[in-house]
Amino acid sequence: MAIARWNGTVIAESDNTVVVEGNHYFPIDSVNQQYLKPSETTSVCHWKGTASYYTLSVDGQENQDAAWYYTEPFEAAAQIKDHVAFWKGVDVTP
């Protein structure tokens, strides 16, 4: 079971993550939605497509753009559609 924690709080847990480029992508329904705030930030990956971001908000603290996802990934990355990955100090243990 992979678990994503930030500031001691479990943000996501799943035994069905998809690992791409060393990052665990959690199915969206395994993520505790109350900790996610939509962000305006986007970035582009040449083979995955356009990523959108969430800011984590836990106990009054925020971690800007610490989660990302691909709403419409390119075909080569279709397996990460409806999945969320984390960085910026989020501890992911497989």
Side-chain angles (χ1 to χ4, degrees):
M1 166 111 22
I3 301 174
R5 288 185 183 88
W6 184 64
N7 280 359
T9 299
V10 174
I11 306 299
E13 55 186 320
S14 175
D15 56 8
N16 193 28
T17 61
V18 176
V19 179
V20 175
E21 296 180 325
N23 295 301
H24 283 266
Y25 284 78
F26 290 78
I28 190 64
D29 61 1
S30 72
V31 179
N32 293 315
Q33 304 281 319
Q34 71 266 27
Y35 301 126
L36 303 180
K37 290 176 56 176
S39 170
E40 302 269 328
T41 303
T42 61
S43 63
V44 177
C45 172
H46 72 278
W47 72 273
K48 289 181 285 196
T50 300
S52 296
Y53 290 80
Y54 291 115
T55 293
L56 297 182
S57 180
V58 177
D59 295 330
Q61 294 188 332
E62 291 194 349
N63 190 346
Q64 186 72 35
D65 299 335
W68 75 93
Y69 61 97
Y70 293 86
T71 305
E72 296 294 333
F74 294 152
E75 187 175 332
Q79 72 273 25
I80 59 172
K81 183 172 175 56
D82 300 323
H83 285 66
V84 179
F86 301 94
W87 66 328
K88 289 189 164 184
V90 177
D91 182 37
V92 177
T93 53

